[in-house]
Amino acid sequence: MRIPIEEVTPGTTQAEVIGWVHEVRDLGGLTFFLIRDRTGIVQVTIPKKKVSEAVLAAIRDVSRESLVRVTGSVKAIEKAPGGRELVPDSFEVLARSGSPLPLDVAEKVPADLDTRLDARFLDARRPRVTAIFLVRSAVTRLTYDYLFSRGFLHITTPKIVATATEGGTELFPIAYFEKEAFLNQSPQLYKQMMMAAGFEKVFEIGPIFRAEEHNTTKHLNEATSIDIEVSFADHTEVMRLLEDLITHLYRSVQDQCAGPLEALGITELALPTAPFGRLPYPDAIEMAARMTGEPITYGDDIGTIAEKAIGEEMGSHYFITEWPTAIKPYYAMPCENDPSVCKAFDLMHPRMELSSGAARVHQHDLLVQQIRAKGLSPENFEFYLQPFRYGMPPHAGWGLGAERLVMTMLGLANIREAVLFPRDRHRMTP
Ligand code: ATP
Ligand code: MN
């Protein structure tokens, strides 16, 4: 019976592994193979004089990255990976790999990101790359577990929509029979409508589509959003939930992903501690202006340069709060005492924004007024506005970018590293 390579332990007779040929070293009388699966690497040592003709024939024929099945006994040996080696009774080529390889899985020859993404299946065989997606998978599992255990209901919402969530230009139009439709930018309107259904706490982990014109290291055209919405909660409560989730994810990845973290060269994650700092927007603007020397003033967006400067000063995860109503979406709730300020927040990692959220407007007439104030037509939002006329609870929520979360957690330089098949301005395949 086949076992994962990480479970190959000395003293086992007749261990069977299936994996890819990572490296071959032929020293004449001895041939060493490194065989790799997603759990690790094992050395296979072949004393040519002592093995069968069938094994010799197989190793003559095999190329790097071929898939092989090896059975044999396991010996402890200090210098080999994991402190053990497999001496084969049988060595069988299951699927031969062509050569030359599009890229070197053993990473002796570096490959640029484009080459890697063109042959992503091979790139993902690299232990370092496999590790990223093992961590990403763990983050997804942990997030589902966390939200389910707190009474959240998982929903799915349409990705084909008739209107933009927030207006704007970041929309992909698509042909929908005889009409034009769009790929949805965010589940925002739909998760809010489920508050009117009485679902109370909902979440979705799903794709969002943004027609970002420019190639940056933190934007994708198709990203994954972790979205929640909670009834009878305000912004401060969903901020606490968000910081609790983030600290929980870091701790759990640290505890549960030792192997992948080691493959990534990470001995310890920089564990954030709750509560995160709360930086009011006016202070953030002042800090950005002071640090960058740029003429950044109240009412401006916090762009990439400002974001970096503030992040350096803050040093760890923090929230920007007390945003001007004018630069946040219409669904953000204005403050009662000063409606020019709203109950929105951004969660920031020192490198970039991770999440935006807010207490939402739940009063129909105020919502209509705010939609108009953004220069949008309430008529286009009738399906969304209707639930606000039939007993909409107060509610709050946020959207958290899954790729940015993994990227910042693991210190990846480019967001494309955190997604298997990135979609950007120039890439639609594979
Ligand atoms: P930014 O200003 O950094 O472009 P945003 O404010 O437009 O982000 P939101 O609409 O607030 O993004 O979306 C919520 C979260 O979803 C963001 O904080 C981010 O983590 C993620 N996100 C949004 N757009 C993208 C994108 N194009 N690529 C990757 N992640 C994204
Ligand atoms: Mn945002």
Side-chain angles (χ1 to χ4, degrees):
M1 241 253 296
R2 182 178 83 93
I3 57 167
I5 283 175
E6 69 179 351
E7 287 173 20
V8 175
T9 38
T12 329
T13 48
Q14 291 314 107
E16 175 185 333
V17 301
I18 297 180
W20 288 266
V21 175
H22 192 68
E23 266 186 57
V24 191
R25 253 188 319 140
D26 192 348
L27 302 184
L30 269 182
T31 303
F32 296 102
F33 283 86
L34 293 182
I35 305 298
R36 183 198 68 242
D37 71 11
R38 77 171 209 208
T39 68
I41 289 179
V42 66
Q43 176 173 302
V44 174
T45 305
I46 300 174
K48 285 192 193 149
K49 292 224 167 84
K50 294 191 190 157
V51 294
S52 69
E53 185 50 43
V55 171
L56 289 177
I59 68 168
R60 265 196 302 274
D61 181 49
V62 78
S63 53
R64 285 176 66 201
E65 292 308 320
S66 293
L67 184 70
V68 297
R69 171 170 34 219
V70 185
T71 61
S73 51
V74 189
K75 288 200 192 116
I77 167 169
E78 236 174 66
K79 280 179 289 177
R84 79 287 198 239
E85 67 175 1
L86 191 58
V87 182
D89 300 325
S90 78
F91 187 110
E92 187 189 344
V93 180
L94 298 181
R96 204 174 179 288
S97 172
S99 55
L101 293 162
L103 59 85
D104 178 17
V105 178
E107 295 196 72
K108 297 252 158 63
V109 186
D112 62 30
L113 187 57
D114 265 323
T115 307
R116 293 177 45 206
L117 293 175
D118 284 340
R120 192 57 150 162
F121 74 97
L122 260 191
D123 181 52
R125 288 186 192 178
R126 293 175 157 184
R128 207 190 78 83
V129 179
T130 306
I132 293 171
F133 293 99
L134 290 176
V135 171
R136 183 167 169 177
S137 174
V139 164
T140 304
R141 169 177 52 78
L142 289 160
T143 305
Y144 272 99
D145 288 350
Y146 178 95
L147 292 171
F148 279 136
S149 76
R150 277 158 186 77
F152 279 78
L153 205 146
H154 177 259
I155 60 168
T156 60
T157 63
K159 306 308 156 202
I160 300 173
V161 295
T163 43
T165 308
E166 301 177 25
T169 52
E170 288 182 356
L171 270 180
F172 284 115
I174 55 169
Y176 193 72
F177 305 109
E178 52 287 331
K179 292 203 175 99
E180 182 179 63
F182 303 97
L183 294 176
N184 208 1
Q185 301 167 284
S186 147
Q188 181 66 30
L189 308 186
Y190 291 91
K191 62 180 184 167
Q192 282 193 264
M193 287 194 279
M194 297 325 289
M195 299 297 97
F199 279 21
E200 252 184 79
K201 294 171 163 186
V202 302
F203 80 105
E204 175 171 17
I205 302 180
I208 56 170
F209 302 92
R210 307 271 172 113
E212 312 276 359
E213 282 274 355
H214 306 289
N215 265 324
T216 80
T217 53
K218 60 172 190 180
H219 288 98
L220 296 161
N221 293 118
E222 178 175 356
T224 308
S225 180
I226 302 165
D227 259 276
I228 74 153
E229 204 64 33
V230 185
S231 285
F232 318 116
D234 68 6
H235 53 304
T236 62
E237 287 162 82
V238 294
M239 284 164 73
R240 278 201 297 277
L241 185 85
L242 181 52
E243 67 192 358
D244 191 55
L245 171 64
I246 298 284
T247 51
H248 171 73
L249 290 175
Y250 270 75
R251 262 186 278 113
S252 306
V253 167
Q254 178 73 61
D255 290 348
Q256 299 175 18
C257 300
L261 290 179
E262 193 193 328
L264 285 158
I266 299 171
T267 34
E268 221 169 310
L269 290 176
L271 297 184
T273 46
F276 298 163
R278 265 74 171 161
L279 181 68
Y281 167 89
D283 297 353
I285 286 294
E286 196 223 271
M287 198 185 277
R290 178 163 45 80
M291 306 264 310
T292 63
E294 300 278 326
I296 304 170
T297 54
Y298 190 96
D300 288 348
D301 266 322
I302 295 179
T304 301
I305 297 165
E307 196 170 89
K308 281 226 171 79
I310 302 166
E312 266 168 43
E313 182 97 348
M314 298 300 289
S316 181
H317 289 76
Y318 65 101
F319 287 105
I320 302 178
T321 58
E322 298 172 34
W323 286 80
T325 305
I327 58 170
K328 279 292 177 185
Y330 57 81
Y331 47 76
M333 177 74 100
C335 292
E336 291 81 11
N337 54 353
D338 179 4
S340 77
V341 176
C342 68
K343 299 180 182 179
F345 58 88
D346 278 7
L347 171 67
M348 310 296 295
H349 178 276
R351 289 174 65 195
M352 72 192 76
E353 178 191 317
L354 295 182
S355 170
S356 285
R360 321 297 191 185
V361 176
H362 63 277
Q363 307 92 328
H364 177 271
D365 294 355
L366 179 58
L367 190 54
V368 170
Q369 188 186 317
Q370 297 227 130
I371 289 174
R372 285 219 175 90
K374 296 284 176 196
L376 301 167
S377 309
E379 299 76 56
N380 296 338
F381 294 89
E382 178 47 29
F383 74 96
Y384 167 64
L385 286 167
Q386 189 192 28
F388 289 79
R389 294 195 287 269
Y390 298 93
M392 177 62 94
H395 57 280
W398 42 254
L400 167 65
E403 292 85 5
R404 287 191 189 178
L405 175 63
V406 171
M407 173 190 185
T408 50
M409 181 184 279
L410 300 180
L412 308 175
N414 193 317
I415 194 167
R416 291 163 184 76
E417 295 265 7
V419 53
L420 282 172
F421 300 105
R423 292 292 173 260
D424 65 29
R425 191 75 168 83
H426 303 296
R427 181 176 289 278
M428 282 196 290
T429 51

